[in-house]
Amino acid sequence: CESLTTLNLVVMANPGSNINPTQLELCNDSGFEYFDLTSREIQMSGSTPINTIEFRYYKELADALANSNASNRIFSPNNFLNTTINFQKIYVRLNSRTNIDSETGLACYKILELDLYVRPFPENKLSKEPYIICIDQLNSITYPVEIKTLLNSTDYTFQWFTNHDALIGNEITGETNTSFTTSTVGQYSVVVTNISNAANCSSIFNFSTENSIIPNSLTITPNELIAFGTDNTVIAIVTPSSNDYLYSINGSSFQDSNVFTNIPGGDYTLTVINKFGCGEVSAQFTVVDFLNYFTPNGDGYN
């Protein structure tokens, strides 16, 4: 004896895209930042209606596979602070709200990987302020100053501004290179943007420029000193005068003071330099030194 019946077999599709979502990238020098993981849900849903998917976020693949409610599940995915510095991989389980496996009773699902990156802001490599413009005694510009970011144009873009804080409207037209040259005293800023990754982290660097005068002429008083056991003092007088000069005898070491004392007898070269590299000037002088006593017959009695 026999009878016939029918059995319907239905293979239901797993929900969501077959491609991992675009990584999320934010900026923070600490390597940690708050992410909205849900911002990729439309992309992850693919052609599946998003209202038919339950998204669950996990820090470990094993928990995502187990559909676990353990501590490694992320319960606030719209405000998630990464727990590993700079980079972290998140596992997203997409559970279908409509397609249920009749044998296991589990929803059809798919697991996608969402990569998180925390990128640093561009590093400020500008030298210590202020930047110096060299001028002569007639206030004519001798050497303009070049401000260098020391960053490459492949990974970064640049926009230079007058005044601090890179305010809109203060852009310097055409100044988009890695460095900027100016002959004008004032305040400036530059916006540097890292374009080597999707975070496009930007920094604003402020700086200023000042004038510094070149030493033109040097007079040594006295330029020939005949001394008898004195402290042997000479004074360097530079024109035009400035507090930006440093002074040295024979270039051994430089000092802020233009007065030198206790100089032994001999011929010397006194050099004056601008501490910011705006030129130098030199002059010679002589110290002829004698003791204020002597022993005529060499018997040790003075």
Side-chain angles (χ1 to χ4, degrees):
C1 302
E2 64 180 38
S3 63
L4 300 176
T5 187
T6 60
L7 174 64
N8 292 327
L9 303 179
V10 179
V11 179
M12 295 176 292
N14 291 323
S17 172
N18 291 321
I19 302 174
N20 288 326
T22 304
Q23 62 200 33
L24 290 175
E25 301 189 40
L26 297 177
C27 305
N28 198 310
D29 287 333
S30 71
F32 295 93
E33 188 55 270
Y34 287 91
F35 289 84
D36 181 4
L37 307 181
T38 66
S39 63
R40 291 288 187 259
E41 287 185 353
I42 292 178
Q43 186 180 4
M44 288 188 288
S45 65
S47 60
T48 306
I50 193 169
N51 61 346
T52 66
I53 302 174
E54 177 199 19
F55 294 89
R56 290 190 168 199
Y57 296 85
Y58 295 90
K59 289 179 278 187
E60 300 292 341
L61 176 58
D63 293 318
L65 290 170
N67 201 27
S68 171
N69 280 320
S71 59
N72 280 327
R73 182 181 171 186
I74 301 169
F75 289 97
S76 298
N78 61 338
N79 192 34
F80 172 69
L81 178 65
N82 55 303
T83 55
T84 60
I85 192 169
N86 297 330
F87 170 77
Q88 186 166 1
K89 188 181 292 292
I90 299 299
Y91 300 92
V92 187
R93 181 176 175 122
L94 286 65
N95 287 330
S96 175
R97 297 182 186 273
T98 57
N99 296 345
I100 307 298
D101 188 311
S102 61
E103 291 193 7
T104 64
L106 298 176
C108 297
Y109 72 94
K110 184 176 292 177
I111 295 177
L112 298 177
E113 297 177 357
L114 176 58
D115 290 337
L116 310 180
Y117 288 90
V118 181
R119 308 290 192 181
F121 290 99
E123 181 183 358
N124 187 355
K125 296 185 178 182
L126 299 184
S127 62
K128 293 182 179 180
E129 290 193 88
Y131 284 87
I132 297 301
I133 300 168
C134 300
I135 62 173
D136 62 19
Q137 58 186 343
L138 301 177
N139 290 327
S140 299
I141 303 299
T142 303
Y143 305 109
V145 63
E146 181 181 13
I147 297 89
K148 299 178 180 179
T149 61
L150 302 179
L151 300 171
N152 66 74
S153 58
T154 301
D155 296 330
Y156 300 89
T157 62
F158 309 86
Q159 178 60 63
W160 299 83
F161 293 75
T162 56
N163 298 318
H164 284 172
D165 301 327
L167 300 178
I168 295 176
N170 289 341
E171 297 90 344
I172 303 175
T173 303
E175 292 295 344
T176 57
N177 294 321
T178 62
S179 63
F180 167 65
T181 301
T182 183
S183 299
T184 304
V185 171
Q187 293 181 335
Y188 298 89
S189 53
V190 59
V191 174
V192 180
T193 303
N194 187 337
I195 57 173
S196 66
N197 54 69
N200 288 328
C201 302
S202 291
S203 295
I204 297 175
F205 305 144
N206 293 326
F207 62 95
S208 62
T209 59
E210 292 182 2
N211 286 337
S212 186
I213 200 162
I214 298 171
N216 181 62
S217 63
L218 170 61
T219 301
I220 301 175
T221 303
N223 66 348
E224 185 176 74
L225 174 62
I226 300 177
F228 290 88
T230 65
D231 61 0
N232 299 350
T233 298
V234 298
I235 301 173
I237 301 173
V238 184
T239 55
S241 61
S242 173
N243 292 326
D244 293 342
Y245 299 151
L246 296 175
Y247 305 82
S248 174
I249 292 178
N250 288 347
S252 57
S253 61
F254 285 86
Q255 63 184 43
D256 292 320
S257 173
N258 66 332
V259 179
F260 294 87
T261 60
N262 298 319
I263 306 171
D267 296 319
Y268 296 94
T269 298
L270 196 155
T271 300
V272 180
I273 65 171
N274 180 291
K275 66 177 66 175
F276 300 110
C278 295
E280 65 178 58
V281 65
S282 298
Q284 285 74 41
F285 70 95
T286 298
V287 174
V288 181
D289 194 18
F290 298 95
L291 297 176
N292 58 2
Y293 58 87
F294 64 97
T295 303
N297 60 357
D299 63 359
Y301 293 95
N302 302 326

